[in-house]
Amino acid sequence: MKLRSHVGLDLFFMKNYLFTSESVSEGHPDKVSDQISDAILDEFLRQDENARVAVETFCTTGQVIVMGEVHSDDAYVDVQKVVRNTVNRIGYTKAEYNFSGDSCGVLSAIHEQSGDIGRGVERKDPLDQGAGDQGMMFGYACRDTANYMPLALELSHLTMRTLADIRKHESNLMPYLRPDAKAQYTIEYNSDNKPVRIHTIVVSTQHDEFTAPSLGRMSYEEACRQFGQARADEAMHDKIEEDVRGILIPKVVAQLPEGLRSLFDGKFILHVNPTGKFVIGGPAGDTGLTGRKIIVDTYGGKGAHGGGCFSGKDPSKVDRSAAYAARYIAKNLVAAGVADECLVQLAYAIGVARPVSVFVNTYGTARKGLDDSSIAEKVAEIFDLRPASIIEKFQLKNPIYEPTASYGHMGREPYTKALTLIRGGKPVEKLVQFFGWEKLDSVDLIRTAFRL
């Protein structure tokens, strides 16, 4: 019997397809946990650049638990103070949220790092520093956007940042906003993998209970008595949806280059708070835990992910530092013209300095005359991928991590900032690099190496 294969036929007649990514706000409970973990890491590194930190945070109604392993000879961190300052900065400052920085309980369960781990990291020659754990890390880049990030994720992040900006700085526009929120974009791509249009947008935002203007000026309780709760909630939902469509999305679109603005053709499907109401949110609505938003943190489901989270980990943990290096390499390869899309995998063994493997996948987009295996070989030659070298290149022993813990670790704009650090027990002013792995300072090196 002859079996018919439809694979070639399906590819020949390949139609447009949909791809979706999401982002969450800084007030999402998992992101609250990430930010607390990185704020604690930053405070250890501010006092001791050689601190070893692996901290996770759990938060729920009125409670934060910080747990993990730390080794430092010089640093003392007031965990309660760091937690409360972080929660207040995010915006949980009111008792009605059932979670606030001034009133939440804070429990610290931090203990000394295992000596068995430490012996694999420390070396007489700092450049021989071993990886802090085994595992594989991925970096990805594509030409969807100017910062070489996937479009669906970039739009989701931008929507969340814009909503937070409205909440913090233009609260008169949407005065009911609370800190917890999510955004999700579905993009329609053509058979050449080019974005064609925005297909669906989902925005869920926590909000106060309020009376919609369409029902008059009265308290929410009075509106429920007069019109019934179902009608009061429906009018409240309709007002939020009107503002998302008329205020939030136009603000997002206005920040985009012309080529991306044209993807918003006005025919997209919009879902706003699909359950109808989102008053109970944040850690009071759902528990938060460090490391549960690793896809939001990276590429929104594009490329691949090794499984390890970033937040709360010092750079000796290659889960974090090598993932940054892989993004840097992928981004510079695409910017240099080696490929239009690139995935880089690095893999390590605990206690061993050099990666056990370097893998590259360009999804068939490599420049003519180049193949993925030769690109991977060249990457291993021109980049020093030992943990100590990665740490030095991107200045990862500085307190730079709390800003990474919301709205993505990748695709951010690199910048420098003067910080006051404690070195040798004395305050020292230092200009510190943030998001250094997003710089395009190896493009010329790559072009020379590949003779482009």
Side-chain angles (χ1 to χ4, degrees):
M1 178 184 296
K2 183 181 288 188
L3 297 177
R4 295 173 62 189
S5 172
H6 297 286
V7 175
L9 193 63
D10 289 343
L11 290 175
F12 184 78
F13 291 107
M14 187 170 147
K15 297 180 180 179
N16 289 8
Y17 64 92
L18 304 177
F19 187 84
T20 301
S21 294
E22 72 158 351
S23 180
V24 300
S25 72
E26 62 203 72
H28 185 282
D30 292 331
K31 280 287 133 200
V32 172
S33 295
D34 285 344
Q35 289 166 90
I36 290 171
S37 295
D38 271 338
I40 290 169
L41 168 63
D42 278 353
E43 186 56 26
F44 271 103
L45 293 177
R46 189 181 72 83
Q47 300 179 45
D48 178 6
E49 65 179 350
N50 294 312
R52 300 283 184 241
V53 181
V55 168
E56 297 180 6
T57 302
F58 168 89
C59 60
T60 186
T61 306
Q63 183 72 49
V64 175
I65 301 174
V66 181
M67 48 210 159
E69 302 80 44
V70 171
H71 175 78
S72 175
D73 295 327
D74 302 314
Y76 168 76
V77 173
D78 187 337
V79 173
Q80 268 209 33
K81 182 179 179 181
V82 173
V83 169
R84 297 189 190 283
N85 287 345
T86 304
V87 172
N88 283 332
R89 176 191 60 74
I90 291 167
Y92 287 107
T93 56
K94 299 179 181 179
E96 56 263 38
Y97 297 164
N98 292 317
F99 183 80
S100 71
D102 291 336
S103 64
C104 65
V106 180
L107 174 64
S108 175
I110 297 175
H111 58 87
E112 181 75 10
Q113 183 192 58
S114 163
D116 292 347
I117 295 175
R119 68 188 295 180
V121 175
E122 304 298 339
R123 292 288 187 272
K124 185 175 182 180
D125 182 351
L127 286 175
D128 290 334
Q129 171 183 320
D133 202 352
Q134 71 175 46
M136 63 282 190
M137 302 84 210
F138 289 91
Y140 176 82
C142 64
R143 293 194 177 275
D144 275 9
T145 59
N147 59 357
Y148 302 93
M149 288 291 286
L151 180 58
L153 179 64
E154 186 67 11
L155 291 175
S156 298
H157 282 327
L158 180 59
T159 300
M160 287 292 88
R161 291 196 302 268
T162 303
L163 191 68
D165 190 63
I166 292 172
R167 174 172 60 90
K168 294 177 179 180
H169 306 298
E170 296 183 278
S171 58
N172 59 304
L173 296 179
M174 300 172 73
Y176 46 77
L177 292 176
R178 290 185 176 183
D180 194 0
K182 287 185 173 184
Q184 181 175 287
Y185 276 74
T186 300
I187 311 297
E188 180 179 341
Y189 287 83
N190 64 21
S191 57
D192 293 324
N193 299 313
K194 304 298 183 185
V196 174
R197 60 183 289 266
I198 307 301
H199 183 277
T200 302
I201 303 172
V202 183
V203 175
S204 296
T205 180
Q206 187 189 13
H207 57 88
D208 295 335
E209 284 182 321
F210 67 95
T211 302
S214 61
L215 299 183
R217 296 175 62 85
M218 64 187 78
S219 69
Y220 173 74
E221 291 75 16
E222 186 178 349
C224 289
R225 288 193 298 270
Q226 184 170 334
F227 300 100
Q229 183 174 352
R231 176 72 186 98
D233 286 351
E234 181 183 14
M236 180 168 58
H237 171 270
D238 289 348
K239 173 59 177 170
I240 297 171
E241 181 171 329
E242 175 189 321
D243 290 347
V244 168
R245 187 181 293 275
I247 297 173
L248 175 62
I249 293 177
K251 279 182 169 288
V252 170
V253 173
Q255 299 173 67
L256 299 172
E258 184 57 40
L260 295 183
R261 290 183 197 179
S262 63
L263 300 178
F264 290 79
D265 60 4
K267 298 178 183 179
F268 56 81
I269 300 167
L270 176 64
H271 296 290
V272 177
N273 288 2
T275 65
K277 191 174 182 179
F278 187 6
V279 172
I280 302 170
D286 190 10
T287 58
L289 185 65
T290 299
R292 285 204 299 211
K293 285 292 174 283
I294 58 176
I295 301 304
V296 171
D297 285 342
T298 51
Y299 309 104
K302 285 272 191 173
H305 198 293
C309 83
F310 303 153
S311 290
K313 297 178 180 178
D314 76 79
S316 70
K317 281 73 175 174
V318 284
D319 275 346
R320 183 167 217 160
S321 52
Y324 292 164
R327 160 62 179 175
Y328 173 79
I329 293 167
K331 183 177 181 180
N332 278 265
L333 285 171
V334 173
V338 171
D340 290 336
E341 186 179 10
C342 186
L343 180 74
V344 174
Q345 184 205 57
L346 308 176
Y348 290 83
I350 187 169
V352 179
R354 296 191 183 277
V356 298
S357 70
V358 177
F359 168 82
V360 171
N361 184 0
T362 62
Y363 306 92
T365 69
R367 188 164 179 145
K368 189 175 181 180
L370 296 175
D371 61 84
D372 292 350
S373 60
S374 63
I375 294 171
E377 289 178 7
K378 189 68 69 174
V379 164
E381 289 175 11
I382 64 179
F383 292 102
D384 188 342
L385 296 172
R386 291 176 294 176
S389 298
I390 294 171
I391 290 168
E392 181 180 5
K393 179 172 181 56
F394 302 125
Q395 301 182 32
L396 298 182
K397 286 189 175 183
N398 292 309
I400 59 172
Y401 296 105
E402 190 177 359
T404 70
S406 52
Y407 312 119
H409 293 244
M410 316 302 179
R412 306 291 290 275
E413 188 69 27
Y415 64 92
T416 56
K417 182 179 179 181
L419 298 179
T420 301
L421 311 178
I422 306 299
R423 297 293 181 256
K426 297 180 180 180
V428 176
E429 292 291 324
K430 183 178 180 181
L431 190 64
V432 172
Q433 174 73 59
F434 288 75
F435 298 101
W437 51 92
E438 290 297 321
K439 296 174 76 173
L440 291 173
D441 54 4
S442 284
V443 169
D444 290 342
L445 172 67
I446 290 170
R447 286 176 177 162
T448 299
F450 286 91
R451 299 180 181 179
L452 299 179

